[in-house]
């Protein structure tokens, strides 16, 4: 997928002006925020997420060991494990498998890692027909759009927009009933499953002790993609490894609850090896492609905790910025707080300058994260890296340096601030608010600036309490 | 109890009356209050913008100014959180400062947290004839656990009724430099907050942080709402009318 994260600011402004998007995002918030809270009350969230974070951290602390263990156990059951250093490598591996085995048609279940790779474009270029079978992803493929949410990829679209799209692309009578729209997509997709030579899926987890991959879905398309075609290819990141199935059970207590407010998803599919001779279904070949794509670099950096992420989307559902601008503004595969850490880490902090700053640091994401990723802290780390590398705009760096210098000179600070608050109080006039600030258009574009009272607390206090004792004057 | 009052730069510059209200509350709780006259900024703006060195310099100044106090109290969850939660991280690579920083962090409190949990204030001087709704500021709430403390104290204010708004814990969209860098996103977020405040149909919204206060008041006034008052919790607890003179 093309990286457009440098345009966050302008894209965000466009998105703010879109009333359809606003309605869609309001719906997301109304559904997912209380939904998660209600089912999370079924368990001891803090204790469970302590356990989940520890499981994920253990896997990352011994990543090489668990990945090799996974490969051994997978191979023992006939699975071929491929290692991809880059997103392009993933595409080359998939197209090579397809070529070698005469694959003409492929069906796909949802995979964000394949979005990182822009796999569909690569397959189409190689002459392979690929169809997204997750309803949301299917809608996006019809409209040639990228996903705007990692769980609900089409959340930015209203039902009316989907009705129009189906009528246009399917050349059928326009339907507005959700059930009718779903049936129409289902009728289109069913023959594709039966025709496909290859099923492509992601993997929410890969299990080291059994060599299995696991997907969490609600629509059943994932299970058809893993069992009907003769070749199954699962693509995921190297960080998704989990030591044991018991660990998965703990994580699964949190993943659907955090993601969609479900105690458990409709399907949890564990895929282990190829079809055995007495199996009724299942693929003849099972390939697992494990992508690094920048993950090992993150593992060696100060933001490594982001690799614990289990892709539930709770951080974006609860983020006031995501709730305002939606996922497309972020300009790459992963939006919201997790994206504001992942995108700069994958594509380079110089290519996503705004993202680590596109947060109020309110930490709503941090308190709902099921694996305790300190997202605001990680965004702050990226801000520090940008600052150290001189990537921030000059006026910003100057302002910060000036403030740090001025605030460490108490006498000069007292003098300058005394003048400053006097001027601003005068500007505020009788009403006590300033409608336009010369250097603060970001603020006064949408808000007044309440004017200061006119004197500083320190000056007023000193005039009431003179002389200050040496202690009161401080020991700075 | 010897308490160092850190008024915070925003209260100092924008709303000194909140500083005096804080002073009054601490004194009525029986504290001996000292106000280091050289205090300026805790370093949070630099810290949150990636200027670690600048933040460190100001943090060292804070430590030197306040470490002789038994407690340090600020009328801000954001600034108290900076000292209590983030200073130890800021000096993680400076073992020579760790002990002093840890000591300062451990005795630094947000005002209402201090009044309830440490000073155990029994009665508050303020009265308020009317209804209010309370906005939970992010840092106080999620870094310091400030939630029941201001409500417990507000319940002691005679004449005051508290009516909770929906999504009281949602961010107001301030976020320091965020409000200027991403002014239009910030405005959208605060607009939702203002809707919730207005829907609560109270005379005032009360909160514990200057950043949120300026943001919410600024948006309410821009929307043409000149009647909903925006008050700091210290003003209400200490008696807002007294300090307005």
């Amino acid at each position: 997928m093309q990286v457009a994260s440098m345009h966050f600011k302008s894209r965000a402004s466009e998105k703010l002006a879109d009333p359809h998007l606003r309605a869609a995002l309001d719906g997301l918030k109304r559904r997912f925020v209380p939904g998660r809270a209600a089912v999370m009350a079924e368990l001891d969230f803090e204790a469970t997420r302590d356990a989940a974070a520890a499981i994920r951290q253990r896997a990352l602390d011994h990543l090489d060991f668990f990945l090799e263990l996974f490969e051994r156990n997978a191979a023992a059951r006939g699975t071929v494990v491929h290692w991809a250093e880059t997103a392009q490598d993933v595409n080359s591996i998939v197209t090579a498998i397809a070529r070698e085995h005469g694959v003409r048609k492929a069906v796909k279940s949802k995979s964000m890692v394949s979005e990182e790779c822009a796999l569909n474009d690569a397959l189409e270029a190689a002459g392979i027909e690929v169809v997204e079978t997750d309803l949301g992803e299917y809608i996006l493929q019809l409209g040639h759009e990228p996903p705007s949410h990692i769980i609900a990829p089409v959340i930015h679209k209203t039902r009316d927009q989907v009705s129009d799209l189906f009528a246009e692309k399917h050349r059928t009578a326009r339907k507005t009933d959700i059930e009718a729209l779903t049936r129409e997509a289902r009728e289109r997709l069913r023959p594709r499953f039966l025709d496909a030579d290859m099923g492509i899926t992601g993997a929410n987890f890969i299990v080291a002790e059994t060599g299995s991959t696991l997907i969490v879905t609600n629509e059943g398309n994932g299970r058809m993609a893993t069992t009907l075609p003769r070749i199954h290819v699962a693509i995921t990141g190297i960080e998704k490894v989990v030591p044991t199935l018991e660990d998965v059970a703990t994580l699964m207590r949190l993943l659907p609850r955090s993601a969609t407010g479900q105690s458990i998803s409709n399907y949890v599919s564990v895929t282990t090896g190829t079809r055995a001779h007495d199996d009724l279904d299942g693929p003849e070949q099972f390939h697992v492609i494990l992508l690094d794509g920048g993950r090992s670099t993150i593992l060696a950096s100060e933001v490594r905790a982001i690799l614990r992420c289990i892709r539930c989307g709770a951080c974006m559902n609860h983020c006031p910025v995501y709730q305002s601008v939606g996922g497309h503004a972020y300009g790459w595969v992963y939006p919201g707080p997790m994206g504001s850490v992942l995108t700069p880490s994958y594509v380079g902090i110089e290519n996503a300058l705004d993202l680590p700053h596109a947060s109020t640091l309110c930490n709503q994401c941090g308190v709902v994260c099921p694996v305790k990723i300190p997202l605001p802290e990680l965004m702050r780390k990226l801000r520090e890296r940008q600052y150290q590398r001189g990537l921030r705009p000059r006026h910003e760096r100057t302002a910060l340096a000036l403030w740090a210098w001025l605030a460490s000179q108490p006498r000069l600070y007292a003098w300058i601030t005394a003048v400053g608050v006097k001027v601003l109080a005068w500007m505020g006039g009788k009403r006590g608010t300033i409608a336009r600030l010369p250097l603060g258009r970001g603020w006064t574009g949408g808000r007044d600036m309440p004017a200061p009272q006119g004197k500083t607390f320190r000056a007023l206090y000193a005039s009431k309490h003179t002389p200050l004792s040496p202690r009161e004057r401080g020991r700075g | 109890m010897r308490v160092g009052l850190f008024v915070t730069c925003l209260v100092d510059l924008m709303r000194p009356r909140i500083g005096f209200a804080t002073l009054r509350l601490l004194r009525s709780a029986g504290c001996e209050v000292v106000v280091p006259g050289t205090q300026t900024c805790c370093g949070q703006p630099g810290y949150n913008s990636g200027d670690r060195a600048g933040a460190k310099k100001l943090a060292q100044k804070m430590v030197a100014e306040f470490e002789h106090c038994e407690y340090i109290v600020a009328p801000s969850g954001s600034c108290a959180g900076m000292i209590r939660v983030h200073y130890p991280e800021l000096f993680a690579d400076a073992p020579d400062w760790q002990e002093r920083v840890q000591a300062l962090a451990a005795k630094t409190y947000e005002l209402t947290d201090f009044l309830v949990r440490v000073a155990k204030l029994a009665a508050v001087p303020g009265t308020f004839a009317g209804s209010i709704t309370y906005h939970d500021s992010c840092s106080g709430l999620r870094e310091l656990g400030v939630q029941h403390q201001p409500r417990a104290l507000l319940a002691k204010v005679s004449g005051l009724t508290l009516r909770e708004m929906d999504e009281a814990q949602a961010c107001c969209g301030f976020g320091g430099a965020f409000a200027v860098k991403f002014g239009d996103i910030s405005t959208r977020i605060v607009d939702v907050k203002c809707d919730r405040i207005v829907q609560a149909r109270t005379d005032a919204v009360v909160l514990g942080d200057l950043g949120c206060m300026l943001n919410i008041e600024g948006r309410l006034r821009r929307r043409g709402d000149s009647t909903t008052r925006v008050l700091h919790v210290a003003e209400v607890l200490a008696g807002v009318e007294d300090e307005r003179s």
Side-chain angles (χ1 to χ4, degrees):
Chain A
M1 192 174 157
Q2 285 274 328
V3 184
S5 302
M6 281 306 270
H7 310 296
F8 175 80
K9 236 179 188 172
S10 58
R11 280 180 163 226
S13 299
E14 282 168 32
K15 299 299 173 190
L16 284 169
D18 178 349
H20 296 296
L21 179 65
R22 187 168 189 184
L25 291 170
D26 278 349
L28 169 95
K29 181 166 100 172
R30 277 199 309 272
R31 193 169 119 215
F32 283 154
V33 172
R36 173 200 167 274
V39 292
M40 211 51 98
E42 297 166 356
L43 45 82
D44 181 342
F45 175 61
E46 289 303 331
T48 315
R49 77 171 184 154
D50 278 343
I55 288 166
R56 293 293 299 126
Q57 195 53 51
R58 177 167 166 246
L60 296 171
D61 287 345
H62 309 282
L63 189 59
D64 51 346
F65 172 78
F66 287 117
L67 284 172
E68 284 174 9
L69 185 61
F70 169 81
E71 185 179 30
R72 269 203 308 282
N73 288 326
R77 300 184 191 223
T79 306
V80 185
V81 177
H82 305 259
W83 303 94
E85 193 177 338
T86 66
Q88 286 74 23
D89 292 346
V90 170
N91 296 345
S92 313
I93 294 167
V94 181
T95 40
I97 296 169
R99 282 217 182 94
E100 193 182 331
H101 301 287
V103 170
R104 306 276 299 279
K105 294 178 176 178
V107 282
K108 255 184 90 201
S109 161
K110 207 169 107 48
S111 154
M112 296 310 288
V113 174
S114 75
E115 296 288 339
E116 281 181 46
C117 310
L119 176 66
N120 290 1
D121 295 343
L123 287 177
E124 276 161 23
I128 299 153
E129 189 188 299
V130 54
V131 180
E132 295 283 354
T133 62
D134 171 274
L135 181 58
E137 295 283 350
Y138 174 71
I139 293 166
L140 295 178
Q141 194 181 23
L142 276 187
H144 302 288
E145 280 184 280
S148 70
H149 188 287
I150 61 169
I151 298 299
V154 72
I155 194 69
H156 58 282
K157 270 189 143 48
T158 58
R159 181 174 50 175
D160 269 350
Q161 291 171 325
V162 175
S163 295
D164 292 341
L165 185 73
F166 275 21
E168 183 204 330
K169 301 284 180 181
H170 291 163
R171 298 170 187 276
T172 51
R174 190 175 185 279
K175 302 172 182 63
T176 51
D177 179 48
I178 287 181
E179 211 171 297
L181 287 165
T182 310
R183 193 178 311 117
E184 187 168 306
R186 189 190 173 92
E187 282 161 7
R188 301 267 155 169
L189 286 172
R190 192 52 62 111
R192 307 289 194 146
F193 284 115
L194 297 170
D195 280 355
D197 310 299
M198 179 187 272
I200 301 170
T201 68
N204 292 85
F205 303 111
I206 62 173
V207 187
E209 69 168 350
T210 59
S212 315
T213 66
L214 182 140
I215 56 172
V216 178
T217 64
N218 274 318
E219 296 171 17
N221 61 313
R223 192 157 287 179
M224 287 200 278
T226 55
T227 51
L228 288 175
R230 58 189 164 92
I231 300 171
H232 173 200
V233 178
I235 304 166
T236 198
I238 51 171
E239 84 284 15
K240 295 287 177 61
V241 70
V242 167
T244 67
L245 275 173
E246 198 177 331
D247 290 335
V248 170
T250 301
L251 295 168
M252 281 304 296
R253 304 194 77 200
L254 292 170
L255 176 53
R257 283 187 170 89
S258 301
T260 46
Q262 294 169 287
S263 300
I264 190 71
S265 50
N266 293 349
Y267 296 86
V268 178
S269 307
V270 182
T271 311
T272 312
T274 51
R275 172 186 210 156
H277 68 276
D278 54 348
D279 282 348
L280 292 176
D281 57 16
E284 294 157 19
Q285 291 183 36
F286 182 24
H287 298 265
V288 177
I289 305 174
L290 297 176
L291 169 66
D292 183 328
R295 287 156 175 84
S296 56
T297 312
I298 296 179
L299 189 64
S301 78
E302 70 274 51
V303 299
R304 67 184 64 88
I306 193 66
L307 295 177
R308 294 206 293 260
C309 179
I310 58 172
R311 305 293 192 267
C312 69
C315 61
M316 57 198 77
N317 295 343
H318 290 77
C319 174
V321 176
Y322 181 93
Q323 287 167 357
S324 302
V325 302
H328 284 160
Y330 292 81
W332 200 55
V333 182
Y334 301 107
M338 54 86 85
S340 292
V341 177
L342 274 182
T343 304
S345 304
Y346 283 164
V347 309
I349 48 171
E350 66 282 6
N351 296 318
L353 274 183
D354 282 337
L355 293 191
H357 293 262
S359 162
T360 63
L361 303 181
C362 75
N363 197 27
Q364 185 61 58
C365 51
V367 298
V368 297
C369 177
V371 286
K372 296 185 81 169
I373 300 169
L375 287 153
E377 198 183 296
L378 302 188
M379 285 185 252
R380 212 182 273 115
K381 292 282 170 214
L382 294 173
R383 294 178 187 189
E384 283 172 11
R385 220 191 288 168
Q386 287 185 346
Y387 189 84
Q388 282 158 9
R389 283 183 47 191
L391 293 169
R392 300 302 306 164
R394 179 175 295 274
H395 63 87
E396 185 180 315
R397 282 181 289 150
T398 311
L400 285 168
L402 205 63
W403 177 253
W405 176 77
L406 183 63
S408 53
Q409 320 275 330
R411 290 181 70 175
L412 183 67
Y413 179 89
W415 185 78
I416 289 184
T417 54
V419 176
V421 297
K422 208 170 200 171
V423 172
L424 287 171
W426 171 80
M427 283 172 72
K430 258 199 179 146
R431 195 166 167 249
T433 56
I434 302 163
R436 282 174 77 171
L437 275 174
L439 291 171
R441 275 177 47 214
W443 181 284
T444 52
R447 287 154 292 203
D448 289 347
M449 173 54 80
Q453 278 176 250
K455 282 194 171 152
T456 68
F457 174 84
R458 279 163 303 123
L460 291 167
Y461 183 85
S463 67
K464 286 185 190 177
H465 295 81
T466 43
L468 292 177
S469 74
R471 272 205 154 171
E472 279 176 322
R473 256 184 266 121
R475 294 168 163 187
Chain B
M1 263 181 288
R2 194 178 156 78
V3 173
L5 170 59
F6 175 50
V7 283
T8 78
C9 60
L10 280 176
V11 165
D12 176 48
L13 304 177
M14 303 298 289
R15 292 289 178 271
R17 63 169 174 263
I18 294 167
F20 286 105
T22 305
L23 199 59
R24 187 167 177 207
L25 287 167
L26 290 171
R27 283 180 179 152
S28 70
C31 303
E32 179 203 341
V33 184
V34 293
V35 183
T38 55
Q39 59 176 285
T40 54
C41 164
C42 66
Q44 191 181 175
Y47 183 66
N48 281 348
S49 296
D51 179 13
R52 218 177 153 82
K56 232 175 188 165
K57 199 160 95 178
L58 294 177
Q60 285 167 338
K61 177 172 167 293
M62 274 291 303
V63 172
E65 283 163 347
F66 282 92
E67 64 186 344
H68 65 280
C69 302
E70 209 177 327
Y71 295 101
I72 296 90
V73 174
S76 158
S78 177
C79 307
M82 175 67 197
I83 298 167
R84 216 183 151 94
V85 179
H86 299 295
Y87 272 16
E89 191 277 326
L90 186 58
F91 288 90
D93 54 354
D96 48 328
W97 276 86
Q98 244 336 293
E99 203 180 317
R100 292 171 75 184
V101 164
Q102 293 278 3
L104 189 83
K107 57 187 181 179
T108 300
Y109 288 84
E110 182 274 343
L111 174 65
T112 62
D113 191 28
F114 178 80
L115 292 175
V116 170
R117 292 203 301 137
V118 182
K120 302 193 172 20
L121 185 66
V124 299
T127 59
F128 188 90
S131 56
I132 65 131
T133 191
Y134 193 83
H135 163 69
D136 293 285
S137 294
C138 297
S139 303
L141 176 69
R142 282 181 277 273
E143 285 179 352
L144 304 174
V146 175
Q147 186 186 9
H148 68 92
Q149 301 90 323
R151 290 173 173 82
L153 293 169
L154 287 165
K156 296 178 196 285
V157 175
S158 92
L160 178 147
T161 33
L162 171 72
R163 198 152 53 237
E164 296 285 357
M165 68 175 110
D166 279 347
E167 301 181 278
Q169 300 187 353
C171 179
C172 75
F174 174 66
F178 175 87
V180 181
K181 278 183 200 161
F182 303 99
D184 49 0
I185 305 175
S186 175
T187 300
R188 170 62 55 81
I189 300 172
V190 70
D191 216 28
V192 175
K193 177 58 69 179
C194 291
D195 287 344
R196 301 291 171 264
I197 292 166
V198 170
Q199 284 157 7
R201 298 177 162 278
T202 54
D203 300 310
V205 53
V206 177
L207 37 69
D209 255 289
L210 250 284
C212 317
M213 191 173 172
L214 298 174
N215 188 32
I216 291 171
E217 186 176 342
R219 182 59 193 166
L220 282 172
R221 300 301 172 251
R222 179 62 62 91
R223 282 163 55 134
D225 182 336
S226 54
T227 52
T228 306
R229 297 174 73 184
V230 185
L231 299 168
H232 192 281
V233 64
E235 296 178 272
V236 180
L237 297 176
V240 49
E241 303 303 338
D242 303 348
E243 297 295 340
R244 285 223 146 186
S245 54

